[in-house]
Amino acid sequence: MQFMLLFSRQGKLRLQKWYVPLSDKEKKKITRELVQTVLARKPKMCSFLEWRDLKVVYKRYASLYFCCAIENQDNELITLEIIHRYVELLDKYFGSVCELDIIFNFEKAYFILDEFLLGGEAQDTSKKNVLKAIEQADLLQENRPRQFFFLSAQLTTEKPL
Amino acid sequence: MCSCYYSSVWLHVNTGECNLASKHVPLQYLITLHWFETLFLCVFQRMPAPIRLRELIRTIRTARTQAEEREMIQKECAAIRSSFREEDNTYRCRNVAKLLYMHMLGYPAHFGQLECLKLIASQKFTDKRIGYLGAMLLLDERQDVHLLMTNCIKNDLNHSTQYVQGLALCTLGCMGSSEMCRDLAGEVEKLLKTSNSYLRKKAALCAVHVIRKVPELMEMFLPATKNLLSEKNHGVLHTSVVLLTEMCERSPDMLLHFRKLVPQLVRILKNLIMSGYSPEHDVSGISDPFLQVRILRLLRILGRSDDDSSEAMNDILAQVATNTETSKNVGNAILYETVLTIMDIKSESGLRVLAINILGRFLLNNDKNIRYVALTSLLKTVQTDHNAVQRHRSTIVDCLKDLDVSIKRRAMELSFALVNGNNIRGMMKELLYFLDSCDPEFKADCASGVFLAAEKYAPSKRWHIDTIMRVLTTAGSYVRDDSVPNLIQLITNSVEMHAYTVQRLYKALLDDISQQPLVQVSSWCIGEYGDLLVSGQCEEEEPIQVTEDEVLDVLEGLLVSNLSTPVTRGYSLTAIMKLSTRFSSVNRIKKVVSIYSSSIDVELQQRAVEYNALFKKYDHMRPALLERMPIMEKTASNGPTEIMQTNGETEPSVPDTKHLPLVTQPANQANDLLDLLGGNDVVPVIQTTLPTKPASAGGELLDLLGDLSLSGGLAPAPSVPVSQPPFLLDGLSSQPLFNDTSAAIPPMTAYSKNGLKIEFTFERANPNPNIAVITIHATNTTEADMTEFVFQAAVPKTFQLQLLSPSSNIVPALNQGSVTQVIRVLNPQKQQLRMRVKLTYTHKGSPVQDLAEVNNFPPQSWQ
C-alpha cells in the first residue's frame, strides 16, 4: 500500500497515512485530485479505479470514505478486507464508531492504524491481538502528577490532551 | 465555570480515560480540587494552560467561514509558538497534538518539527506516542532534521518496554530514510531474531522497508529468516511471508535459496484450509484469509518458471480453488489470488482451465468488484489461453453494457482481443452497438479497434466498407487522424466496391457534414469516383440519380461551410479539381478554382493557384495527372506509408510548379544544365534509390537531354521517393507486370559495344495501357567484371520516365549473370518512343562512360 486517506463526503480530510516519501505539496495535490475523483463516482460503480499508475481501492462507510492506493501486483479484493478490518478495529475500540469519533480522537485512530499496519502491510491478522496491544499501550499513557502538597499521590486523573 | 469542570470530569470517568484509584470519589471533592489547582496554577504559572485538544477541535468546528477558521487557527498557532519558545515540557505533547490537527486541516505546521523530536526524546510514553506520530506526519526524509531522530530511535529500539520498541519500529518502517535504515539495520536484524512475537512481526515489516530503501542490506537479514516460518503466531507468519516475498522479488539468488520453502508453505496453507474454526483468525468462515493470500502470492513467485516447484504446489492450488467459499468477498479474494498464481506458474492444463472457469464464474457474479477483477485477469491471460477465454465470450460481451466505466473499458479491450475470423460478424455487431452508445472517452479507442479488427478479419469487402461507413457516421468525429489515409487506401483497394462506396459516402455527406474524418474520406472518394456516382453504376444497391451539378454543389458547400476545417477544405478543393477530368462541367470547376486562388487560407490558395496553372499552362497534362489512383501498396509497418500520405492528400503534384522552389538544390548542376541546354526545359526523371552516387545522378542525367528539347525544372535529389507522380507508382511487387491481354512485344537490343550488351524487354503495365514497362538486361562478354555500373536514361518532353532500382551494379564477366533494371515510360500521346542512354562503369580499373541513342523501339511498345 502506498497511502491511505479517510475523507468525508464534503471532501474534508480526516486521516492521511503515507507509506511513500512525498513532499507536502505533492501530498496535497494527490489528495485533492483523488478526493475529487472518488467523490465523483456514482454509487453503482465498482470500488476500484485506475489512477496514474496505481490502483485505488475505496469504500464508503456511513459518511466516511476509506481510500487506499495499492500497487499493480497487490490484490484489490483483499485490500477491501484490510479496510474492513480497520473499520472493525475502530468500531470495537470506540464502540459503534462514527465520523465524530475519528474527528475528535484522530490521534487514537492513527495509533490503531499503526498497530494494524506497518509500512503498508498488515502486522497482525488477529483482531484480538491488535486491540489488546492498543489497550495495553493506552494504559501506559502517563498520569499527570498532581502538584498538591496536601493530597496523596493516589488521586490522579489522566492528563487529557 | 464550576459546572463545566464538573462535566469534563464526568466525561473522563465515563470514557475510562480516568485512572483514578477509585471511581467512587465524591465528585464535589474533585470539583474543589480542580478549583484549587486552577487557582494555584493561575497564581504561580506564567500562562494559563493551553486549551485542550478536543476543545480546540470543538472550537474550530464552530467556525462558520473559512476566514473565521483561519483566524482561530492563527491565534492558536501563535499561542503554541510562544509555548514552544518557553520550552514548556508539561504541555508540549498537547500543543503538538493540536498542531497535528491543524496540519490535517491544511495549515502549515513545520515549526513543530523540532518539538516532535523533543517529545520522542522524552521519557514519557504519551510524549513518545505523540512525538512519533508527529514525526511520521510532519517530517520527511528530504529534510535533514529527520536524521536527528536516528539516535532516539536507536535507543527506543532497545527500550525495556515493548510498546516503545514498537513505536520506534513502526516509525522506522514507515518513513525511515536510507541513511537511517543504514544506521539502524543492525538493530532491526537483532529484533528479527527475538522470541517476542509482538516485536518480531514488526521487525519483519521494518526489514522490508529497510530492504526497499537500501537493497544492498538484504543479505544481512538472511540468517534471521531461517526459522521464521516455523512460528505459530500468525502475525509473525504473515509478516515473514511478506519479507520473504520482498527478498525473492528483488534477488534471483534469494529466490533460488528460498525455493526449498515451497513444501513448508504448502503445508501451512493446507493447515489453514483444513483446520477447523479458529475464532481468532476467522473472517466469514475462512481461516486467516490475509495469510492465505500472502502465501499464495509467495508461491506464485517461487513457482514461476520452475517445473518442480510448480508441481509441488499443484494439489494445494487445486484444493484451494475448489474448496473456498465464494459467497463473500473474502473467499473471492483468495480465489482471485489463486487464479493469478495458477496462470503465472508452470501449471498443468487442467489447472489452467479450472482457473479460467473460476474467472468465468466471477463474470457472472452480482458483485461488480468481482466482475471487474475477472475482466482484468482475463485480459492478462487472453494471449496465452486464448481458447479457454473464448468460451466466455458472450459473458464478456454482456459486460459492455455494464454501468461501470472501468468494467466497460476492460470488457471492450477484452472483446477486441477475442475477435477472430469466426466470430467477426457477431462481435462487430455488438461492438458497433457499443460504439453508438458509449461515452466519448471510449469512442476513439473503440473506433480504432473496430478498424483494426475489420481489416484483419473482414469476411467480405462489402461488409468491410459497410462497417467503416457505420463507424464514420456514428463516431466520425472521434476517429483518429491517421485513420483517414488508412481508410482511403482500403477503399482504393476494394476496386469492385468503388461505386457502392462513393454512393454511400455521398449520401452520408448529404446528411451530415460536421464529422471531419467522414467528410474528408467522402470528398476524396467523390473526387476520385465521381464519374461512377453520376453514371449510376452501383451494383450493390439501388443507384441514386445524381447530377454533376449536385455533386459540385455538395463539394462547394464544404468549402464554404463553417464546420469544415482547413484540412477538409483542402480535400474538397482537390476533389473538385479531380472531377474536371471526370465531369463535363469544366467551366464551373475552373471558376471555383480561380476564386480560391485569392483565398486567405494559404494552403487553399496554393492549391488553387497550382490548379489554375494546370488549366492554363499544362492542360495537356491534366488528364494524366488527375487520373484514377492505382491500388496502393501497404507497408509492413501496417501504417500509412510516406507514399500514401501524399496520395491521401491527393496532391497530383505537378513536379514542375511544385518543385520550382527546389531548383536551387543542387545549384551548380542546375547551372550546368542550363548552360548545356541553352535554357531549355527538362522533363525531370525521378529515380528510386540508386545504389551509388544519388546526388549527382540527377545532374548528369539531365546533361543527356541536351538536344531532345526537354522542359525545365530540376528534379529534387532523386533519393527522395516521396513526391513522385502517383501514376507511376503502379503496385510494385504485387501487381503482375505482365498483362496477358496485350500482345507480347518483342525484345530488342538497345546497346552493344565493348562487350557490354543491353537488351530491352517489354511489358504493358496493368491497368494503365499508356505505360510501357521496360526491363533492361545488361550482360558482359569480357573477361573482367564491370563494376559501379550505372544505367541512366532520358526521354523526350512528351514522355515521362521512371527508373527503378537496379538489381546490382556489377555486371559479371563472361555472361555469368546480368544486371536488370526496370524502366517505366508514360506515353499518353502515343508518340514514337525514343531514348537516350548513358552508361558508366569501371572496367579493369579504368572508368568507362558512353552515350547512345535508342531509336529502334518496336512499334507495339508505344502504340
Side-chain angles (χ1 to χ4, degrees):
Chain A
M1 195 184 298
Q2 290 212 354
F3 57 86
M4 182 192 280
L5 301 171
L6 264 69
F7 50 90
S8 71
R9 284 204 284 178
Q10 286 76 38
K12 292 211 111 160
L13 198 61
R14 299 298 179 207
L15 191 145
Q16 49 173 334
K17 189 73 191 180
W18 299 84
Y19 297 110
V20 285
L22 289 167
S23 72
D24 231 14
K25 199 165 133 206
E26 284 167 320
K27 286 182 193 169
K28 282 210 171 112
K29 181 157 176 266
I30 291 174
T31 307
R32 206 176 30 238
E33 265 182 52
L34 202 51
V35 167
Q36 230 174 10
T37 313
V38 171
L39 288 176
R41 302 272 287 181
K42 302 194 195 76
K44 286 236 178 266
M45 292 183 163
C46 70
S47 298
F48 314 128
L49 56 105
E50 292 108 38
W51 185 80
R52 300 195 184 179
D53 58 337
L54 296 168
K55 298 197 272 200
V56 171
V57 180
Y58 72 94
K59 189 146 183 207
R60 204 186 106 204
Y61 287 85
S63 56
L64 264 184
Y65 281 91
F66 287 70
C67 191
C68 298
I70 57 175
E71 277 147 7
N72 273 310
Q73 61 268 39
D74 292 329
N75 183 326
E76 296 98 316
L77 299 177
I78 208 76
T79 308
L80 278 174
E81 293 299 320
I82 298 255
I83 293 177
H84 190 75
R85 174 57 64 90
Y86 180 48
V87 175
E88 284 179 325
L89 290 168
L90 289 170
D91 194 61
K92 206 66 196 287
Y93 184 84
F94 287 109
S96 288
V97 69
C98 63
E99 191 184 342
L100 275 178
D101 290 319
I102 301 185
I103 294 171
F104 280 93
N105 300 285
F106 71 94
E107 85 277 12
K108 301 216 170 86
Y110 273 110
F111 295 153
I112 297 170
L113 184 62
D114 286 338
E115 200 57 48
F116 174 43
L117 301 177
L118 198 159
E121 304 284 347
Q123 303 168 37
D124 208 312
T125 54
S126 151
K127 231 187 318 192
K128 192 178 85 180
N129 285 349
V130 177
L131 287 168
K132 199 164 72 169
I134 296 278
E135 216 177 302
Q136 300 282 10
D138 279 350
L139 286 176
L140 281 184
Q141 297 246 144
E142 271 80 18
N143 315 312
R144 189 179 79 189
R146 299 234 147 227
Q147 282 151 12
F148 295 107
F149 312 118
F150 49 86
L151 283 175
S152 73
Q154 263 190 345
L155 272 168
T156 53
T157 45
E158 180 207 278
K159 179 188 73 165
L161 281 172
Chain B
M1 190 169 75
C2 288
S3 55
C4 86
Y5 278 125
Y6 179 106
S7 55
S8 62
V9 169
W10 181 253
L11 265 173
H12 292 318
V13 170
N14 270 350
T15 53
E17 292 174 42
C18 176
N19 204 10
L20 283 173
S22 139
K23 286 185 196 163
H24 304 298
V25 173
L27 285 160
Q28 296 93 315
Y29 195 35
L30 284 169
I31 294 167
T32 324
L33 288 173
H34 261 290
W35 191 84
F36 260 113
E37 180 191 44
T38 322
L39 182 65
F40 185 80
L41 290 168
C42 283
V43 169
F44 289 102
Q45 288 209 323
R46 276 162 291 180
M47 282 179 69
I51 73 167
R52 297 204 194 102
L53 171 67
R54 320 244 182 263
E55 242 169 84
L56 176 69
I57 297 176
R58 207 170 298 134
T59 316
I60 291 178
R61 281 172 65 80
T62 62
R64 268 161 301 165
T65 63
Q66 186 75 0
E68 217 181 309
E69 184 185 276
R70 214 174 311 136
E71 209 184 298
M72 289 179 190
I73 303 254
Q74 272 172 356
K75 191 160 144 235
E76 186 57 37
C77 274
I80 293 178
R81 264 193 236 247
S82 17
S83 183
F84 284 164
R85 267 197 299 268
E86 292 177 14
E87 300 281 336
D88 185 322
N89 290 331
T90 326
Y91 295 109
R92 183 177 286 123
C93 183
R94 184 186 287 188
N95 286 328
V96 169
K98 287 188 287 188
L99 203 56
L100 293 179
Y101 178 73
M102 294 188 285
H103 177 252
M104 185 144 66
L105 291 178
Y107 296 92
H110 43 271
F111 55 91
Q113 285 170 0
L114 276 173
E115 303 300 315
C116 293
L117 295 174
K118 290 182 199 161
L119 282 174
I120 293 173
S122 156
Q123 289 311 309
K124 297 197 236 169
F125 183 71
T126 319
D127 282 357
K128 281 189 191 283
R129 235 183 172 186
I130 296 287
Y132 276 119
L133 179 62
M136 285 192 275
L137 288 175
L138 299 181
L139 291 175
D140 78 70
E141 56 179 47
R142 275 162 242 243
Q143 297 144 345
D144 289 333
V145 175
H146 82 279
L147 288 170
L148 296 171
M149 260 200 297
T150 316
N151 212 35
C152 284
I153 295 188
K154 187 168 191 171
N155 291 335
D156 283 341
L157 284 174
N158 293 305
H159 204 274
S160 48
T161 312
Q162 69 175 17
Y163 297 105
V164 174
Q165 289 174 293
L167 284 176
L169 280 167
C170 178
T171 308
L172 184 59
C174 284
M175 48 89 65
S177 64
S178 338
E179 297 95 333
M180 282 170 74
C181 288
R182 253 184 256 271
D183 287 337
L184 300 169
E187 305 296 327
V188 177
E189 196 258 342
K190 235 178 16 194
L191 289 171
L192 191 53
K193 295 191 284 213
T194 176
S195 53
N196 179 340
S197 51
Y198 177 79
L199 291 174
R200 208 168 183 205
K201 70 186 190 198
K202 289 182 193 272
L205 288 181
C206 197
V208 170
H209 180 83
V210 168
I211 292 173
R212 282 189 188 149
K213 282 297 199 185
V214 193
E216 306 89 69
L217 291 174
M218 196 177 354
E219 294 282 331
M220 174 180 195
F221 294 103
L222 189 54
T225 62
K226 221 178 352 200
N227 53 357
L228 274 178
L229 288 184
S230 28
E231 265 273 1
K232 287 280 178 283
N233 180 299
H234 279 225
V236 179
L237 267 178
H238 183 271
T239 57
S240 305
V241 172
V242 174
L243 176 58
L244 292 170
T245 309
E246 185 72 25
M247 291 169 103
C248 291
E249 272 177 340
R250 283 186 180 267
S251 158
D253 292 330
M254 290 289 182
L255 179 61
L256 277 166
H257 173 83
F258 286 124
R259 226 175 225 145
K260 60 178 190 282
L261 292 176
V262 170
Q264 203 173 359
L265 288 165
V266 168
R267 240 190 341 264
I268 298 173
L269 191 53
K270 194 165 191 151
N271 284 337
L272 282 173
I273 304 172
M274 307 300 275
S275 68
Y277 176 71
S278 144
E280 193 175 339
H281 300 110
D282 179 271
V283 180
S284 304
I286 297 182
S287 189
D288 208 338
F290 304 105
L291 183 56
Q292 286 194 39
V293 164
R294 272 337 280 240
I295 292 180
L296 286 164
R297 186 161 152 185
L298 181 55
L299 285 175
R300 175 154 85 243
I301 293 166
L302 293 173
R304 213 179 258 163
S305 51
D306 185 68
D307 291 320
D308 292 329
S309 309
S310 303
E311 163 113 32
M313 51 181 90
N314 213 49
D315 286 343
I316 191 67
L317 289 173
Q319 208 177 352
V320 175
T322 43
N323 289 345
T324 309
E325 259 292 323
T326 58
S327 53
K328 292 271 176 74
N329 178 62
V330 82
N332 288 321
I334 296 177
L335 279 178
Y336 176 40
E337 197 75 32
T338 314
V339 165
L340 290 176
T341 302
I342 294 174
M343 300 315 290
D344 223 7
I345 63 171
K346 293 197 171 280
S347 47
E348 51 176 47
S349 59
L351 202 54
R352 293 180 89 86
V353 171
L354 179 60
I356 304 259
N357 287 344
I358 292 176
L359 291 178
R361 273 207 307 278
F362 274 7
L363 281 178
L364 301 166
N365 197 306
N366 285 330
D367 187 341
K368 46 193 147 30
N369 293 334
I370 311 278
R371 290 204 299 274
Y372 174 86
V373 147
L375 286 170
T376 314
S377 315
L378 283 170
L379 200 53
K380 283 190 227 164
T381 64
V382 73
Q383 301 302 330
T384 46
D385 294 83
H386 192 92
N387 292 330
V389 180
Q390 278 283 0
R391 256 176 256 142
H392 303 279
R393 196 180 66 243
S394 49
T395 329
I396 293 169
V397 167
D398 280 339
C399 289
L400 285 172
K401 308 192 182 84
D402 203 294
L403 291 160
D404 184 306
V405 163
S406 320
I407 291 183
K408 274 204 279 231
R409 177 167 287 281
R410 287 272 179 275
M412 180 183 83
E413 289 170 24
L414 201 46
S415 302
F416 279 123
L418 289 176
V419 170
N420 63 24
N422 293 328
N423 58 35
I424 178 78
R425 282 191 195 264
M427 286 296 273
M428 202 49 85
K429 213 164 45 186
E430 296 285 345
L431 288 164
L432 286 171
Y433 181 71
F434 174 69
L435 183 63
D436 282 342
S437 51
C438 68
D439 298 328
E441 59 186 286
F442 288 121
K443 292 213 189 219
D445 289 332
C446 190
S448 303
V450 168
F451 286 148
L452 266 169
E455 213 175 294
K456 272 200 257 186
Y457 302 112
S460 75
K461 289 241 156 93
R462 160 95 192 245
W463 181 95
H464 198 169
I465 302 279
D466 282 342
T467 308
I468 293 174
M469 289 293 310
R470 177 85 181 269
V471 175
L472 286 178
T473 48
T474 54
S477 13
Y478 298 98
V479 157
R480 292 217 172 86
D481 291 338
D482 63 352
S483 312
V484 172
N486 274 337
L487 290 176
I488 288 175
Q489 190 239 6
L490 214 58
I491 291 169
T492 320
N493 290 352
S494 327
V495 179
E496 61 277 16
M497 303 295 300
H498 286 166
Y500 171 70
T501 313
V502 69
Q503 182 163 295
R504 286 211 59 190
L505 285 170
Y506 178 75
K507 283 200 275 195
L509 260 193
L510 291 175
D511 278 332
D512 172 19
I513 58 167
S514 63
Q515 303 191 82
Q516 299 305 296
L518 172 62
V519 173
Q520 286 167 11
V521 174
S522 303
S523 2
W524 190 92
C525 283
I526 294 174
E528 189 70 3
Y529 308 120
D531 48 326
L532 299 176
L533 185 59
V534 274
S535 61
Q537 283 181 26
C538 183
E539 290 165 359
E540 300 281 336
E541 64 174 23
E542 185 69 32
I544 57 175
Q545 307 296 337
V546 178
T547 64
E548 291 183 3
D549 277 320
E550 283 172 335
V551 174
L552 288 171
D553 283 341
V554 169
L555 287 175
E556 282 186 50
L558 293 175
L559 278 173
V560 299
S561 166
N562 286 334
L563 297 167
S564 299
T565 62
V567 173
T568 308
R569 290 206 176 93
Y571 270 89
S572 56
L573 185 62
T574 306
I576 292 175
M577 186 60 191
K578 280 159 84 171
L579 290 175
S580 70
T581 53
R582 292 156 175 75
F583 282 3
S584 50
S585 16
V586 182
N587 287 329
R588 177 171 176 181
I589 295 174
K590 266 196 200 165
K591 227 190 303 191
V592 174
V593 165
S594 60
I595 291 172
Y596 279 90
S597 53
S598 45
S599 161
I600 303 173
D601 182 332
V602 177
E603 175 67 28
L604 272 186
Q605 192 190 106
Q606 182 180 356
R607 288 185 193 217
V609 164
E610 288 174 11
Y611 299 157
N612 254 332
L614 248 191
F615 274 124
K616 295 200 169 65
K617 276 171 57 178
Y618 300 102
D619 207 40
H620 56 278
M621 291 178 81
R622 193 165 46 86
L625 284 165
L626 301 178
E627 244 186 6
R628 188 79 91 226
M629 293 287 187
I631 296 178
M632 301 176 210
E633 182 71 13
K634 229 183 172 208
T635 58
S637 64
N638 203 38
T641 58
E642 286 183 308
I643 299 161
M644 273 166 52
Q645 294 281 27
T646 45
N647 282 345
E649 279 193 37
T650 66
E651 290 281 339
S653 39
V654 182
D656 300 348
T657 49
K658 203 153 174 75
H659 299 120
L660 270 169
L662 293 176
V663 168
T664 48
Q665 163 242 74
N668 36 3
Q669 285 166 337
N671 290 336
D672 291 341
L673 173 72
L674 292 170
D675 284 344
L676 279 174
L677 304 179
N680 280 338
D681 290 346
V682 177
V683 167
V685 178
I686 296 126
Q687 291 183 308
T688 50
T689 49
L690 282 176
T692 52
K693 297 193 278 175
S696 50
E700 286 174 72
L701 185 66
L702 296 167
D703 281 348
L704 294 177
L705 307 178
D707 57 349
L708 293 180
S709 58
L710 306 155
S711 50
L714 252 189
S719 52
V720 177
V722 177
S723 44
Q724 299 170 40
F727 61 90
L728 286 180
L729 284 178
D730 226 337
L732 299 177
S733 47
S734 63
Q735 279 300 97
L737 296 177
F738 281 99
N739 188 348
D740 293 327
T741 58
S742 62
I745 307 163
M748 59 174 267
T749 305
Y751 174 94
S752 181
K753 210 161 136 185
N754 295 336
L756 174 64
K757 179 165 139 190
I758 299 186
E759 257 202 21
F760 283 7
T761 55
F762 299 90
E763 294 110 25
R764 279 242 175 261
N766 185 10
N768 194 336
N770 292 334
I771 297 180
V773 180
I774 306 170
T775 310
I776 69 150
H777 304 261
T779 49
N780 172 9
T781 54
T782 69
E783 313 111 19
D785 291 347
M786 292 172 179
T787 56
E788 289 162 19
F789 176 78
V790 176
F791 174 90
Q792 294 167 344
V795 287
K797 184 172 116 174
T798 54
F799 299 85
Q800 293 221 17
L801 191 76
Q802 182 190 19
L803 267 175
L804 305 180
S805 313
S807 59
S808 90
N809 55 353
I810 299 177
V811 191
L814 300 169
N815 291 336
Q816 282 167 21
S818 66
V819 168
T820 54
Q821 194 165 4
V822 175
I823 311 171
R824 302 161 79 166
V825 185
L826 177 73
N827 183 7
Q829 295 178 20
K830 304 250 188 244
Q831 293 196 352
Q832 185 187 11
L833 188 54
R834 284 150 54 206
M835 193 185 282
R836 191 173 258 194
V837 300
K838 178 174 173 180
L839 307 157
T840 48
Y841 56 90
T842 304
H843 189 233
K844 292 181 184 162
S846 42
V848 180
Q849 192 175 298
D850 197 4
L851 280 173
E853 268 211 47
V854 184
N855 288 323
N856 52 334
F857 285 89
Q860 301 100 308
S861 67
W862 46 269
Q863 270 169 355

